[in-house]
Each structure stands twice: as C-alpha cells, then as structure tokens.
Amino acid sequence: MRRSVSVLGLLCLGVAGGCALHDAAEVPENKPMSLHQAPFRISGLERPGVSGTVRDAMARVPRHEFVEEEVRPFAYEDRALPIGFQQTISQPYIVGLMSSAVEVGEGSKVLEIGTGSGYQAAVLSELGARVYSVEVVPELAHAAQVRLAALGYDTVKVRSGDGWQGWPEEGPFDAILVTAAAPRIPEALLGQLANRGKMILPLVRDAGAGETLLLVERDDDSFTTRELGAVKFVPLTGGSESHGLTLQELHHPRASTTQPKS
Ligand code: SAH
C-alpha cells in the first residue's frame, strides 16, 4: 500500500541505555537525528510463527503513530503499550503470530473485534485485506478511524459497537481476529466465518490464569481447533453464557446449539 507518513516532532536519539524524548526545538543543530522511518522494524519478530510476509507488512506500519506520545520511544520494542481507556496496543509478536495464523492475503475479507488503536487493522490492510473492525469504546473507535484515514488505510472500516455480534451485514469473512480475551467462543462470529475461514481468539481457560490463543478453522458445519500457546489480553466486555460456546461445546454441539449455515 502506498502512503505518505507524517514524521512526528518526537525524536528518539540513540542514547546508550535507551531513548529519550526531545522536542524538535531542543535538538542542537548539526547533530544527527534518528527519526522513526520506514522500514519500521520491530525487534523480536524473528521467532517461529511469524511469516516473512507478515514481518514485511509490519515493517511498513508506523507503530509510533498508534500509541500515546509519552510511550512513543518504545513503539518499536516488542511489548504492549497503553492507548488510553485502560486498553493496550498488543505486543507486536502476538500481532504477527495472529496475522500469520489466519493466513490473510491479497483480497481477504477480514473481521477484527477490538479495534483499539487500529494497529492490527493497519497490518491486515498492508497484507492486502479489506478489514472490518468493531470497537466497543466509541472514543477509541473514532480515534482509530481518524488515524487510519490520515495514514491512508482506506481499506479499513471501523464501527463502534458490541463485538460479540460481529458485523453480520458484511459476513462471511475469510478470517476473524478477536483481540480481547473472550470467556467463550462468540457464536455469532462462528456464524460469520466463511467455509475454510480461520478465526483466532484468546480464550479464557481458568479465570485469572490468562488465556490460550485458539485457532479455529471452519469445515462446513464443524470446526477444527489448535491451541497456539498462552497469552494475556484485556477482557472482551459484555456477552453472556448464551452468546458463546466453550471449547467442548464447539466440538460436541448440543441439539439446542445453533450451528452456522454453510
Ligand atoms: N487490536 C488493538 C488492540 C486491542 S485491545 C490494536 O491493534 O491496537 C482490545 C480492544 O478490545 C480494546 O480497545 C477494547 O475496548 C476492545 N473491546 C473489549 N470488549 C469489546 C467488545 N465487546 N466489542 C468490541 N471491542 C471490545
């Protein structure tokens, strides 16, 4: 995707022991300046599970544009960072892992639940996807929409609403990424997954014990699953038992369970 990226007035100077924040006005003349510039390489992505295509896509996304000013010096470190409203932008390795696992490519139609800063959506857009992203906090949804538009990500649509319901008018989706910890597998999202489509979500196993990153693949009216490891996400709010399935219920549907249509 071709875009112009505005360079911030924040500079990360190569100081031993870390980066410091400086105003442009404070930088003495004739001193070399190290700005955030493409490629936006993030340390720690060279691990198993992140494809080269996804790594390259992430290197095109200016992550510093998606975080609060005070933490911009840490934008290219492999860690989650605050984005306000007690929410966080996910750790880049996890963004890379989730994006790789659902095999998003040119022309994929993708649903994201939990827009947050919009960073994950931008990565999916760089992979060639048309992205539909739902965020429950209206202020975050609005800020992400404005940010993504300013950066030229015009293949991303953001809406404020309850992610448990998905985006039924736009389904089915080739891939669905849930970027908040779900106590159950949202049933509406299973119904909006295309056949052979893949959904990834952090599923709460035992309250307080973190989540397992669950990859779900649809095969007509049944689903296969694979656990990719332990993760920690902010909670997916709302929803009740009736909105979702346990892993066991997914594999052994009760007669009363609504199965998605083919
Ligand atoms: N993908 C984001 C980070 C996600 S943080 C990024 O790249 O920055 C998790 C987000 O999920 C938060 O913004 C939170 O407000 C949102 N969220 C939590 N519960 C939700 C729900 N029920 N529906 C939609 N969004 C929800």
Side-chain angles (χ1 to χ4, degrees), residues 66 83 85 87-90 95 112-121 134-137 140 161-164 179-180 233-239:
F66 292 81
I83 55 170
F85 298 90
Q87 305 302 329
T88 56
I89 182 173
S90 305
V95 171
E112 180 194 21
I113 304 302
T115 317
S117 67
Y119 178 74
Q120 170 75 78
V134 184
E135 169 56 52
V136 76
V137 177
L140 286 177
D162 177 16
W164 285 89
T179 65
F233 276 77
V234 296
L236 185 69
T237 58

Side-chain angles (χ1 to χ4, degrees), residues 70-103:
E70 312 83 78
V71 297
R72 278 180 186 163
F74 313 112
Y76 297 97
E77 292 180 11
D78 188 25
R79 55 195 260 194
L81 294 168
I83 55 170
F85 298 90
Q86 289 95 50
Q87 305 302 329
T88 56
I89 182 173
S90 305
Q91 181 193 347
Y93 174 66
I94 301 297
V95 171
L97 192 63
M98 291 176 75
S99 307
S100 302
V102 291
E103 293 173 22

